[in-house]
Amino acid sequence: MSSPQTTFLEFLNKNNMAATEQRRIVLEVFLGTKGHHSCEELYVHVSKRDPSISPATVYRTIKLLAESGIAESLDFGDGVTRFECRHNRDHHDHLVCIRCNRRIEVMEDRIEYLQEKLASKYGFSVKRHKMVLYGICPDCRKQ
Ligand SMILES: [Zn+2]
Ligand SMILES: [Zn+2]
């Protein structure tokens, strides 16, 4: 697997976009984060590194990271799009608590297998998928 830096450079080249210093910094900051982050949260991290980078630049660069496959965009049902890094991470899906927004990362081979099987029934070869199950976590269920 090539490095995310190389992947991003190739993506920018292919789309005739410049590999600016600002885009490089947004990539580096994003790679340094763990978990799921909104553009606003990522902007806070980026601006600590370089205050001259605008929120709009961060937002557009994150979109490019998603398009190039380095970032995955996620919808946890609260109206905020979040991003997580796909590089060096095994595939996982998410359980989301609709009361406290707690997120649990899950992975179940049988579900993965059944998705492949379902898709192939329709002549599909699956490239990626997202599964989010919305519910109430154990702590919130106690209340
Ligand atoms: Zn909860
Ligand atoms: Zn996750």
Side-chain angles (χ1 to χ4, degrees), residues 97 99 135-143:
C97 176
R99 295 239 174 103
I136 299 169
C137 76
D139 289 346
C140 290
R141 287 181 63 197
K142 274 185 226 140
Q143 290 164 20

Side-chain angles (χ1 to χ4, degrees), residues 94-111:
H94 298 92
L95 305 180
V96 176
C97 176
I98 55 175
R99 295 239 174 103
C100 70
N101 284 327
R102 178 173 165 197
R103 298 179 283 262
I104 301 170
E105 301 193 327
V106 293
M107 165 61 195
E108 170 56 61
D109 285 333
R110 277 173 300 172
I111 292 176

Side-chain angles (χ1 to χ4, degrees), residues 36 74 84 89 92 94 105:
H36 320 103
L74 296 160
E84 88 181 328
R89 292 239 34 211
H92 60 270
H94 298 92
E105 301 193 327

Side-chain angles (χ1 to χ4, degrees), residues 36-90:
H36 320 103
H37 300 277
S38 67
C39 284
E40 286 73 18
E41 287 164 351
L42 290 164
Y43 169 69
V44 172
H45 292 295
V46 169
S47 63
K48 276 180 203 152
R49 181 92 162 257
D50 183 344
S52 75
I53 301 178
S54 71
T57 298
V58 173
Y59 179 80
R60 282 195 301 261
T61 307
I62 299 295
K63 271 190 76 179
L64 296 177
L65 294 179
E67 284 169 33
S68 64
I70 296 164
E72 171 112 79
S73 70
L74 296 160
D75 172 9
F76 292 138
D78 60 357
V80 179
T81 302
R82 292 184 179 80
F83 296 85
E84 88 181 328
C85 188
R86 291 179 68 203
H87 180 72
N88 271 343
R89 292 239 34 211
D90 290 330

